[in-house]
């Protein structure tokens, strides 16, 4: 081998050694992780709100109004506090060259749960320095290992909940790949026994507690044999503890096809999958529900939880002066997920029903992304007015029944 290549191998080995050491340290931390925080025991629940950048601050502000409206009793009595957290903008992150500025991270860690607007993720060649994604960094720093993404289309019988592993897989060292030489680039994928077990357990627990009782494990273990293989082996072990939960395993490619197979897709309930497959397939699932703008995302850890949209920051809408027309529904959906996580399932259920009525059924206001439609604030007000309706449950049920009959008659 050429001397230059030998040197490149050496440098790569050293870098790889560092990365392995970091991951082994993580495994030790995982072994010592604490138990779940019980929100019902807190005197005061602190909810951090950070708008992010691009359309983030706009849609986040609209969603915050809905949150404040639904939690008014708790905020008034001091049981909950909503706290603005600054500094998660791309300008600030680029200035300090960090995915999350230190002072912002310190503030986030003083909250229990966080509502977060989209943040710009630079890629190679952008006008921004190629810093790590703020989402990914927050998931790692606050150890938000379960990315829970529900998708529901009642008239099609679709009731899916995705449990995407959120701190490992191809994302764990996504910014730490090695350019070995000008011709050879290598990335890495990580699966730990502890990290895999907790996400699989979260999926099975949910399947059992919610009565859905069916889990589909999705990997590409026939090709990505080591890490996906581990995912599958751990799942086989954990599944034995849940005899009442039926489970099967699928490869990601065929599962991507099955989600658009009308004969099959309404059978699925709970999915558990590694990070990258979960990222990709949840966009597909959201599209079936009406687009990524309709889907919310819960990032759950034992100590912290963060709720966000599943889409990006759409800087173009800001450049074109249309940001106030950006659709806040994904962020309002995130509010519903937060409510259910902090022990307000009934409020969450009403908000979900109101969103269905406003977005899919009644559509008295429509968002078009420009001034031909309503603004995000107007839409949020429409959703709140709908939550208040005495006949909400009845109206929602009638619409669902009608939509189901229409699908059946097609
Ligand atoms: C998501 C997003 C993020 C991800 C990006 C913005 C880093 O696509 O939440 O699905 O890849 O996880
Ligand atoms: Mg995504």
């Amino acid at each position: 081998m050429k001397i230059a290549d030998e040197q490149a191998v050496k440098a790569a080995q050293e870098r790889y050694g560092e990365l392995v050491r970091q991951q082994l340290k993580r495994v030790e931390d995982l072994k010592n992780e604490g138990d779940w925080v019980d929100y019902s025991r807190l005197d005061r629940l602190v909810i951090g709100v950070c708008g992010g950048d691009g359309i983030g601050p706009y849609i986040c502000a609209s969603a915050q109004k809905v949150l404040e409206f639904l939690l008014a009793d708790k905020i008034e009595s001091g049981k909950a506090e909503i706290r603005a957290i600054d500094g998660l903008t791309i300008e600030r992150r680029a200035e300090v060259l960090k995915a999350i500025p230190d002072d912002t991270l310190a503030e986030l860690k003083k909250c229990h749960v966080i509502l977060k607007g989209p943040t710009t993720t630079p890629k190679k060649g952008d006008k921004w320095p190629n810093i790590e994604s703020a989402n990914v960094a927050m998931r790692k720093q606050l150890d938000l290992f379960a990315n829970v993404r529900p998708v529901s289309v009642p008239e099609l019988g679709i009731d899916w909940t995705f449990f995407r592993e959120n701190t490992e897989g191809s994302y764990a060292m996504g910014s730490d790949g090695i350019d070995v030489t000008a011709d050879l680039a290598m990335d890495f994928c990580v699966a730990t026994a502890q990290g895999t077990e907790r996400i699989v357990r979260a999926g099975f627990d949910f399947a059992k507690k919610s009565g859905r009782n069916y889990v589909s494990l999705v990997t590409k273990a026939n090709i990505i044999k080591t890490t996906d293989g581990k995912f599958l082996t751990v799942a086989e072990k954990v599944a034995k503890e849940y005899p009442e939960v039926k489970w099967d395993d699928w490869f990601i490619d065929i599962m991507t096809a099955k989600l658009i197979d009308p004969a099959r897709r309404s059978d699925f309930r709970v999915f558990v999958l590694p990070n990258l497959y979960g990222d990709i397939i949840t966009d597909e699932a959201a599209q079936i529900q009406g687009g990524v703008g309709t889907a919310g995302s819960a990032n759950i850890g034992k100590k912290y939880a963060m709720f966000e949209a599943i889409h990006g920051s759409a800087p173009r809408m800001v450049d074109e002066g249309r940001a106030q027309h950006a659709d806040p529904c994904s962020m309002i959906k995130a509010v519903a997920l937060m409510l259910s996580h902090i022990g307000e399932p009934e409020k969450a259920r009403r908000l979900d029903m109101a969103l269905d009525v406003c977005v899919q059924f009644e559509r008295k206001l429509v968002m078009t992304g420009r001034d031909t439609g309503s603004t995000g604030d107007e839409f949020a007000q429409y959703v709140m007015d709908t939550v208040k309706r005495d006949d909400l449950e009845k109206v929602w049920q009638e619409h669902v029944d009608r939509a189901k009959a229409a699908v059946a008659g097609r």
Side-chain angles (χ1 to χ4, degrees), residues 388-402:
K388 282 189 232 163
R389 282 174 66 166
D390 291 334
D391 61 349
L392 172 60
E393 179 112 36
K394 192 169 140 263
V395 168
W396 180 82
Q397 193 59 56
E398 278 168 10
H399 279 296
V400 170
D401 292 345
R402 209 170 304 145

Side-chain angles (χ1 to χ4, degrees), residues 135 139 147 149 164 171 275-276 278-283 292 309-312:
N135 300 45
R139 293 167 186 167
N147 188 189
R149 297 183 161 181
R164 163 192 179 191
Y171 279 56
N275 210 333
L276 182 59
D279 176 42
I280 296 168
I281 210 170
T282 52
D283 269 17
V292 287
I310 79 163
H311 58 74

Side-chain angles (χ1 to χ4, degrees), residues 211-223:
R212 284 172 173 81
N213 282 335
Y214 176 26
V215 171
S216 300
L217 226 281
V218 186
T219 68
K220 187 75 185 175
N222 53 340
I223 304 297

Side-chain angles (χ1 to χ4, degrees), residues 30-46:
L30 283 174
K31 285 184 188 163
N32 296 319
E33 72 176 352
D35 215 346
W36 290 92
V37 168
D38 180 355
Y39 294 110
S40 66
R41 286 165 160 252
L42 297 174
D43 292 334
R44 190 180 177 83
L45 177 81
V46 180

Side-chain angles (χ1 to χ4, degrees), residues 241-374:
E241 294 172 36
Y242 297 83
E244 62 279 78
V245 179
K246 172 178 103 171
W247 81 287
D248 48 20
D249 84 271
W250 294 77
F251 295 133
I252 180 66
D253 46 355
I254 187 63
M255 183 52 93
T256 309
K258 286 296 151 197
L259 288 196
I260 51 169
D261 175 359
R264 203 53 216 273
R265 63 182 173 189
S266 56
D267 296 343
F268 299 119
R269 287 291 171 267
V270 180
F271 301 82
V272 179
L273 59 187
N275 210 333
L276 182 59
Y277 311 141
D279 176 42
I280 296 168
I281 210 170
T282 52
D283 269 17
E284 186 198 17
Q287 188 63 40
I288 296 169
Q289 177 181 261
V292 287
T294 64
S297 169
N299 297 265
I300 313 276
K302 293 193 175 169
K303 188 161 180 204
Y304 300 102
M306 180 267 279
F307 302 83
E308 60 179 348
I310 79 163
H311 58 74
S313 59
R316 190 181 305 152
M317 287 192 80
V318 182
D319 294 345
E320 293 173 4
R322 312 186 270 121
Q324 71 275 26
H325 292 283
D327 187 345
C329 286
S330 54
M331 287 301 299
I332 299 178
K333 186 85 193 167
V335 167
L337 290 167
M338 178 189 281
L339 288 168
S340 130
H341 187 69
I342 62 176
E344 298 281 4
E346 187 47 31
K347 288 179 177 168
R349 202 176 69 87
R350 283 190 75 79
L351 183 52
D352 276 333
M353 282 192 295
L355 273 171
D356 282 350
V357 169
C358 297
V359 179
Q360 298 189 28
F361 300 138
E362 202 182 67
R363 297 166 57 93
K364 277 195 187 147
L365 291 186
V366 179
M367 305 280 324
T368 59
R370 41 193 82 242
D371 59 11
T372 50
S374 62

